[in-house]
Amino acid sequence: MCGIVGYIGKHEAAPVILEGLSKLEYRGYDSAGMAVFDGEKIQIQKSVGRLKVLEELTHGGATMPGTVGIGHTRWATHGAPSDENAHPHYNQEETIAVVHNGIIENYLPLREKLISKGYQFVSDTDTEVLAHLIDYYYKGNPLEAITKVMHRVQGSYALGIIFAEYPDQIFAVRKDSPLIVGQNENGCFIASDVPAILKYTRKVYFIENQEVVRLRVDHMHFYTVDEEEIEKEPVTIDWDADAAEKGGYEHFMLKEMYEQPKTVTDTLMPRIKDNDIVIEELGMSDEEINAIRKIFIVACGSAYHTGVTAKYVIEGIARIPVEVDLASEFRYRNPILEEGTMVVVISQSGETADSLAALRESKKLGHKVLGIVNVVGSSIAREADNVMYTWAGPEIAVATTKAYSAQLIALYLLAMKFAKVRGNLDEGAFKSMLGDLKRLPGQIERLLANKQRIQRFANRYIGAKDVFFIGRGIDYAISMEGSLKLKEISYIHSEAYAAGELKHGTISLIEEGTLVAAVATQDTLFQKTLSNMVEVKARGAFVLAVTNEGNTDIEKAADYCIYIPRTNPYFTNSLAIIPLQLFGYYVAVGKGCDVDKPRNLAKSVTVE
Ligand code: F6R
């Protein structure tokens, strides 16, 4: 996720900004830049690559004199990692500079409008739209221009802005992307996260949605989006630097689990326009969508599990046959890809060797590949014919959580788009599913709020030897991911089984007290899964059930129940996975495991 640092004070700004940005490196980035007012004009230096490159370019900041400036580490979203796309961005006269975290959803129409008014763009970013739009509204009053822009743009943003005409001020605003400001006796700071300024001050103000801050050397003023001045109370940070990087969470994995409502929103909302699903990057006409005869989904690990879910969703609503394959199998088994087959490769890192090889194999066979990828500019993103990005931001914990949730959303959108174009989903059903999708972030938030109950339950199982996860249909796909989350970070052996398969062998492993987690979110399969629960309970299993609110019948067959809010049956994975992630996490924490860096695992598997 991008990082922002800004400083106005008695010292040189550039070294303070570089130091602050270095404390945000853990968030992941692909380029870095700074804008400093040198007494006459705003100077910008930026470069693709590590922060070290920017440090060398500016001799540690020495070539950028001035005491007011803003800096940025960019995690590419709109536009590949490049010098041009790195922040800050200027307006045309180079009198305004902007750094931005987040995504401007309506940047395309705004860009077109600005171009029609004579503005010229030098980057592919959504951020440059902001620089020109501020310029468009600027009539000598920065606050007025900024608030007008806030009324005009949709999406998420944290911004740092400087104006050459107001060199004694920095402006900062936010909506749905984090931003803090702080002060000490030598100046004021803005940052996207506490660690960036912890060296200078522990007294910070958390900026709320739609608030604006005007920072001067020795004081700050806070405003609403309607330019009314407001009072804010500072918070004293007492975490150490390490905890601060994790935003106060004990582990990155927990932090990332808590980012899921935002991740889901960011992947979803830019693709919903006027009650329709618009996936511009799909690059397929309605005729081409109608011509699809089969979809091959290829991925590894958790990404493969989202593919298994997608098979049920795409086949269920779009009625297109889907084959899901592990990339390591696909690449060597000489797959039959007939005419009309679309290949979808799913990958968080975009660098997984087997997935990349599967992509190349498909292209060699003459098939177009759609990549569903998180890391912009990664190998899979570059080599796929079309890329649908999941806007999860960098994932640091090895065990995926938020990228998995974002992949699910991308796949639901694809399924619904195909279903609608092919006439398999009527307007009413489509609208109702859109409504359910939009409710997911709030529902995930509710489930996360229940973490203590799951923690207490998890603590009872830190000594478990084997755990089984069972479910049918989409619940089977959820079980696979629940099982992987537990085993990879807690080192407890666990297996996922299609519930109906148990009695064909695995049920012999059930002993007195064996934990069986049964996922039963599909109403049409509920009674069937209930019978399987009764079977394992009769053999001594302790049954944990995950089901929909209202399904209290399950209590007859379960020893412990977790209820998820009601949603469309095709979307239950997005909710049921939350307690299972928390369960895996708390078992691992209880056992004292290195949760963020489990043994033998790497975040990006670039070898076979
Ligand atoms: C599990 C996990 C892995 C990845 C797999 C694919 O928590 O993270 O199973 O899902 O290695 O990685 P990507 O998505 O980067 O291709």
Side-chain angles (χ1 to χ4, degrees):
M1 215 106 53
C2 308
I4 288 179
V5 180
Y7 172 70
I8 179 162
K10 298 175 186 161
H11 297 301
E12 288 294 289
V16 175
I17 293 168
L18 286 171
E19 161 79 27
L21 290 177
S22 74
K23 295 287 181 280
L24 299 180
E25 284 192 290
Y26 71 92
R27 294 159 70 96
Y29 67 101
D30 46 61
S31 46
M34 282 190 288
V36 177
F37 183 77
D38 68 6
E40 278 180 21
K41 57 181 189 327
I42 299 172
Q43 220 200 111
I44 288 187
Q45 289 285 359
K46 52 189 186 175
S47 171
V48 73
R50 311 301 296 168
L51 197 57
K52 223 167 145 282
V53 181
L54 183 67
E55 270 168 8
E56 281 165 14
L57 200 68
T58 62
H59 298 278
T63 62
M64 296 186 77
T67 55
V68 49
I70 48 178
H72 192 261
T73 44
R74 175 173 187 250
W75 162 269
T77 57
H78 296 70
S82 69
D83 289 357
E84 295 73 34
N85 290 336
H87 300 203
H89 288 281
Y90 275 132
N91 64 332
Q92 220 143 298
E93 283 74 40
E94 304 190 350
T95 51
I96 300 170
V98 181
V99 288
H100 167 218
N101 288 357
I103 294 172
I104 302 302
E105 289 164 11
N106 58 340
Y107 86 104
L108 270 179
L110 288 172
R111 188 179 160 112
E112 276 157 28
K113 193 141 212 146
L114 287 161
I115 289 173
S116 76
K117 297 205 177 295
Y119 285 90
Q120 284 164 17
F121 283 76
V122 294
S123 78
D124 306 318
T125 62
D126 50 342
T127 306
E128 198 184 352
V129 164
L130 295 169
H132 293 311
L133 199 61
I134 295 170
D135 177 277
Y136 176 72
Y137 286 123
Y138 180 63
K139 307 277 179 273
N141 179 345
L143 187 61
E144 184 186 76
I146 290 168
T147 52
K148 278 193 172 151
V149 168
M150 290 166 78
H151 284 295
R152 204 55 216 282
V153 298
Q154 290 155 15
S156 58
Y157 50 83
L159 306 177
I161 311 160
I162 53 175
F163 293 77
E165 287 185 12
Y166 288 85
D168 59 338
Q169 303 176 23
I170 297 183
F171 291 86
V173 305
R174 77 159 278 220
K175 179 181 165 270
D176 296 334
S177 282
L179 192 73
I180 57 154
V181 295
Q183 186 175 7
N184 69 12
E185 59 292 353
N186 294 315
C188 292
F189 307 81
I190 67 170
S192 43
D193 211 348
V194 173
I197 59 172
L198 212 50
K199 181 174 165 190
Y200 306 103
T201 180
R202 287 188 167 266
K203 211 163 133 188
V204 306
Y205 297 82
F206 287 88
I207 309 305
E208 299 299 332
N209 268 345
Q210 308 270 45
E211 286 179 357
V212 189
V213 198
R214 186 202 300 261
L215 300 95
R216 289 196 168 92
V217 177
D218 51 5
H219 63 264
M220 297 185 268
H221 291 281
F222 302 94
Y223 304 90
T224 67
V225 69
D226 299 315
E227 297 178 55
E228 282 157 16
E229 192 161 351
I230 46 170
E231 294 292 321
K232 285 183 79 73
E233 286 301 315
V235 175
T236 304
I237 301 293
D238 49 14
W239 326 314
D240 60 19
D242 181 45
E245 282 188 1
K246 296 177 190 128
Y249 291 98
E250 202 182 334
H251 297 101
F252 282 113
M253 184 176 169
L254 188 63
K255 178 171 183 270
E256 286 160 6
M257 281 192 267
Y258 270 78
E259 283 168 3
Q260 288 179 110
K262 180 170 184 313
T263 294
V264 167
T265 306
D266 286 349
T267 304
L268 181 66
M269 292 316 285
R271 290 164 175 134
I272 297 184
K273 290 187 184 124
D274 301 326
N275 281 321
D276 201 3
I277 292 174
V278 181
I279 313 176
E280 273 147 15
E281 61 275 41
L282 192 57
M284 287 176 93
S285 64
D286 286 1
E287 290 72 48
E288 285 170 311
I289 292 174
N290 276 314
I292 302 170
R293 291 213 210 122
K294 184 174 179 175
I295 297 176
F296 246 103
I297 300 182
V298 190
C300 301
S302 296
Y304 168 78
H305 298 158
T306 67
V308 178
T309 306
K311 175 180 167 68
Y312 291 105
V313 185
I314 298 172
E315 290 189 342
I317 63 172
R319 307 305 295 158
I320 306 172
V322 178
E323 197 163 328
V324 194
D325 220 342
L326 293 162
S328 52
E329 290 295 313
F330 178 93
R331 62 184 291 193
Y332 293 120
R333 76 177 172 88
N334 196 10
I336 302 168
L337 299 186
E338 289 167 342
E339 213 189 311
T341 300
M342 173 184 184
V343 179
V344 180
V345 175
I346 311 169
S347 175
Q348 186 284 128
S349 62
E351 301 295 348
T352 303
D354 285 323
S355 305
L356 186 58
L359 177 155
R360 289 178 178 156
E361 183 65 22
S362 308
K363 286 183 78 171
K364 212 161 73 191
L365 293 170
H367 290 266
K368 273 195 157 186
V369 176
L370 171 71
I372 296 184
V373 180
N374 195 40
V375 179
V376 175
S378 57
S379 302
I380 294 176
R382 286 198 314 273
E383 293 191 31
D385 296 285
N386 294 91
V387 189
M388 199 173 163
Y389 283 112
T390 49
W391 303 123
E395 208 176 41
I396 292 162
V398 165
T400 183
T401 51
K402 63 175 182 169
Y404 171 88
S405 285
Q407 285 163 359
L408 286 175
I409 297 299
L411 289 160
Y412 300 155
L413 288 170
L414 205 61
M416 286 173 65
K417 173 88 195 162
F418 287 175
K420 191 165 177 223
V421 170
R422 293 166 72 104
N424 290 315
L425 203 55
D426 65 47
E427 203 52 53
F430 183 81
K431 249 176 113 174
S432 142
M433 288 179 93
L434 269 191
D436 283 327
L437 278 181
K438 289 186 195 163
R439 273 186 285 278
L440 286 176
Q443 292 174 326
I444 293 173
E445 225 160 72
R446 266 176 62 198
L447 286 162
L448 287 165
N450 212 6
K451 72 169 189 229
Q452 267 153 357
R453 182 164 177 257
I454 293 167
Q455 180 174 16
R456 280 196 299 275
F457 179 75
N459 282 339
R460 288 158 55 179
Y461 282 92
I462 54 179
K465 291 256 174 309
D466 303 289
V467 177
F468 296 90
F469 289 76
I470 60 169
R472 289 167 180 259
I474 284 176
D475 292 335
Y476 173 44
I478 303 169
S479 302
M480 290 167 113
E481 180 61 7
S483 167
L484 180 60
K485 282 288 88 75
L486 176 69
K487 79 175 97 176
E488 68 180 331
I489 55 173
S490 75
Y491 318 139
I492 291 174
H493 167 251
S494 78
E495 304 266 358
Y497 270 88
E501 266 293 294
L502 269 186
K503 59 170 90 61
H504 298 288
T506 313
I507 202 162
S508 66
L509 292 171
I510 305 294
E511 294 173 352
E512 196 58 39
T514 306
L515 178 61
V516 175
V519 186
T521 70
Q522 303 296 303
D523 285 347
T524 51
L525 299 166
F526 185 74
Q527 291 303 333
K528 300 275 173 213
T529 306
L530 205 66
S531 306
N532 299 127
M533 290 164 61
V534 171
E535 283 160 13
V536 290
K537 198 166 154 62
R539 283 153 183 89
F542 186 96
V543 180
L544 161 71
V546 180
T547 191
N548 304 318
E549 276 168 5
N551 281 350
T552 45
D553 262 10
I554 208 153
E555 289 176 18
K556 289 186 229 148
D559 298 288
Y560 198 88
C561 297
I562 297 169
Y563 292 100
I564 61 164
R566 288 250 165 211
T567 184
N568 184 289
Y570 288 114
F571 305 151
T572 56
N573 192 337
S574 292
L575 301 178
I577 199 59
I578 305 297
L580 297 183
Q581 289 171 346
L582 287 167
F583 175 67
Y585 170 78
Y586 280 118
V587 171
V589 170
K591 284 186 71 175
C593 299
D594 188 352
V595 174
D596 285 335
K597 291 197 190 80
R599 68 187 180 204
N600 308 336
L601 293 177
K603 184 68 187 160
S604 187
V605 186
T606 52
V607 289
E608 260 194 77

